[in-house]
Amino acid sequence: MIQSSVMVRRVVLYLFVFMSLAAQASFAAQASNQTVQVAPLPRDGEVLISFKLEEPLTDEIRAAIQSGLTVKFVYKVDLLRSSAAWFDRKIASAVVTASVKYDTLTRLYHIARAVDGRMEFAETTPKEDVAWSTLTRDFARLSLFRGASLEANAEYYVKVRANASPRNSAFVWPWQGDDAVGLAKFTFIR
C-alpha cells in the first residue's frame, strides 16, 4: 500500500515536470517563429505595448485593397503571467482592429483603428504606404491594460496574434488562422 502511493506520487511528479518542460518548449518555439515583433514597456504602474507585423505588401493583398473591399487586420493582445508549476494565467486581453478601405472614385484610402470596439482614429490618405503602415506598423505605446493589477518583480509576457479578413479563396493571405504570432517577456518592477 505504501509502495503504491509512492509510485503514484512519482508518476504525478514526472507528469508535472514533463508538462512544465513541454510548455517551456512550446513558448520557445512560438517565440522563434514570430512574425509580429512585440515590445512591452512597463512604466508608471502599467504596461505600454508596441508591436508591428513584419509582412510586405504583396500583389494579392494590394489587389484586395484596390478592389474596394474593407480589409481588416485584427490583433488579439494577451497579457499573461508566467508560471513554472501550472498553466500560464491570463491577466488581461485586448483586441486592436486596423482597417483600410480604398475608394475607387476619389482614390483615397480610408484608414481606421479601434481598440476593444472603441474607435481610436479614422482618417483618409492618398498614399498606399501610409495605409499599409496603419494596418501593420503603427502600434506604438498602446495603453491596452490600464488598471490590470500586476505584482512587483513578477515575470509576465505579452502575446500578440494577428488575423486578416476578408477570408475567401479569391484572396490569398500570407498566413492562416493565428499563424502571425509574437511574444515578449518582461519583469514588472515598481
Side-chain angles (χ1 to χ4, degrees), residues 41-118:
L41 176 64
R43 176 165 284 163
D44 299 330
E46 71 173 316
V47 181
L48 303 176
I49 309 298
S50 298
F51 61 90
K52 64 181 177 178
L53 179 64
E54 286 298 323
E55 201 63 49
L57 179 60
T58 63
D59 291 336
E60 292 85 11
I61 296 173
R62 181 178 283 118
I65 293 171
Q66 296 286 330
S67 72
L69 288 175
T70 300
V71 175
K72 291 182 186 177
F73 283 19
V74 178
Y75 299 93
K76 297 171 187 164
V77 185
D78 296 323
L79 175 64
L80 299 114
R81 169 112 190 253
S82 297
S83 175
W86 196 243
F87 296 107
D88 294 345
R89 185 171 53 116
K90 186 184 290 188
I91 305 299
S93 62
V95 176
V96 179
T97 305
S99 63
V100 63
K101 180 175 175 61
Y102 182 69
D103 187 342
T104 56
L105 294 175
T106 62
R107 296 187 179 175
L108 291 174
Y109 296 90
H110 297 272
I111 54 179
R113 180 169 64 209
V115 176
D116 288 333
R118 293 180 323 272

Side-chain angles (χ1 to χ4, degrees), residues 167-172:
R167 288 192 176 279
N168 63 27
S169 60
F171 302 115
V172 180

